């Protein structure tokens, strides 16, 4: 079956360092891959997404890389700050199925805990 | 503007009781989703609504779980005869439409079944 999973459950970095969070996926039919950030006691917050026909997308301090050959997704955070400490989830979304049905659900990975030390 | 809200924020119940969890999506969002997050785990899809209809109920774990949405707005997730394994954080999200990539999540309801 389809699944989205993470290589590393925890990541500790020093403030100012760059962080890289990895994710493996198995559903090659996914249309989009998305990164969410979840702080303690809050719901997940959208960070950035990348369409399956792209291999790189940049946002503010974040870059997502997609390697479809090895079904690997990564989130790079530049100059990591203590406020970046959270759990990061990758997720995938398949938009269209048989008969033109639009699918709604996101399939999430297990999550990586990022801790940034001042 | 207001985000997705959920109530209650915490719910403690006894095994065998029924519970109702409420979600108020962002105004104008036609798509609404329920997910479940167990301790230290990722989010597990339960059900989603497009308007008042639920095209995908595939994630509901048993027939003790049901959900409805009325007026294309508020949704209620009901768990009957709760079991200890139902203990989790139940998250609701909404998006402008089903095909929207970004889903906006509420803070969740933490359910504890004793």
């Amino acid at each position: 079956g389809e699944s989205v999973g993470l290589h590393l459950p925890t990541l500790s970095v020093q403030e100012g360092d760059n962080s890289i969070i990895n994710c493996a996926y198995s559903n090659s039919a996914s249309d989009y891959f998305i990164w969410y950030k979840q702080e303690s006691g809050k719901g997940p917050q959208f960070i950035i997404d990348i369409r399956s026909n792209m291999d790189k997308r940049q946002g503010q301090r974040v870059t997502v890389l997609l390697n479809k050959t090895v079904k690997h997704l990564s989130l790079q955070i530049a100059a990591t700050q203590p406020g970046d400490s959270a759990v990061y989830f990758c997720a995938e979304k398949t938009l269209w199925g048989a008969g033109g049905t639009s699918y709604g659900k996101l399939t999430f990975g297990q999550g990586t805990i990022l801790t940034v030390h001042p | 503007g207001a985000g997705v809200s959920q109530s209650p924020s915490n719910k403690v119940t006894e095994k065998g009781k029924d519970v109702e969890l409420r979600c108020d999506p962002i105004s104008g969002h036609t798509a609404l989703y329920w997910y479940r997050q167990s301790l230290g785990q990722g989010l597990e899809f339960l059900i989603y609504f497009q308007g008042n209809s639920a095209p995908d109920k595939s994630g509901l774990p048993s027939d003790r779980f049901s959900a409805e949405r009325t007026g294309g707005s508020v949704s209620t997730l009901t768990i009957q005869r709760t079991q200890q394994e139902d203990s989790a954080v139940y998250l609701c999200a909404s998006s402008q439409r089903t095909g929207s990539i970004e889903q906006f999540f509420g803070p969740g309801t933490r359910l504890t079944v004793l």
Side-chain angles (χ1 to χ4, degrees), chain A residues 32-34 36 38 41-46 49 89 93 95-96 101-111, chain B residues 33 35 37 40-45 48 56 58 91 95 97-108 110:
Chain A
Y32 281 88
F33 298 90
I34 307 110
Y36 276 86
Q38 186 176 26
K42 298 182 179 179
Q45 179 183 10
F46 175 91
D49 67 87
F89 294 96
K93 185 179 177 85
L95 282 181
W96 301 103
T101 302
S102 176
Y103 295 157
K105 69 178 182 181
L106 295 173
T107 301
F108 284 85
Q110 190 172 3
Chain B
Y33 314 82
Y35 295 88
Q37 186 173 31
Q41 298 297 312
L43 282 76
E44 173 191 13
F45 168 80
Y48 95 88
D56 190 350
S58 63
L91 289 155
S95 64
R97 58 188 186 282
T98 303
S100 299
I101 302 305
E102 183 171 0
Q103 295 181 11
F104 297 83
F105 282 81
R110 180 174 297 278

Side-chain angles (χ1 to χ4, degrees), chain B residues 17-40:
Chain B
K17 300 284 189 181
D18 297 351
V19 295
E20 284 190 352
L21 312 179
R22 177 187 168 107
C23 172
D24 283 85
I26 293 173
S27 178
H29 280 193
T30 61
L32 184 148
Y33 314 82
W34 283 98
Y35 295 88
R36 178 169 71 174
Q37 186 173 31
S38 300
L39 185 63

Side-chain angles (χ1 to χ4, degrees), chain B residues 4-5 13 18 22 25 27 36 43 52 56 62 71 80 84 88 90 93 95 108 111:
Chain B
V4 177
S5 62
T13 191
D18 297 351
R22 177 187 168 107
S27 178
R36 178 169 71 174
L43 282 76
N52 291 335
D56 190 350
S62 75
Q80 296 178 308
Q84 289 184 332
Y90 289 82
S95 64
L111 175 66

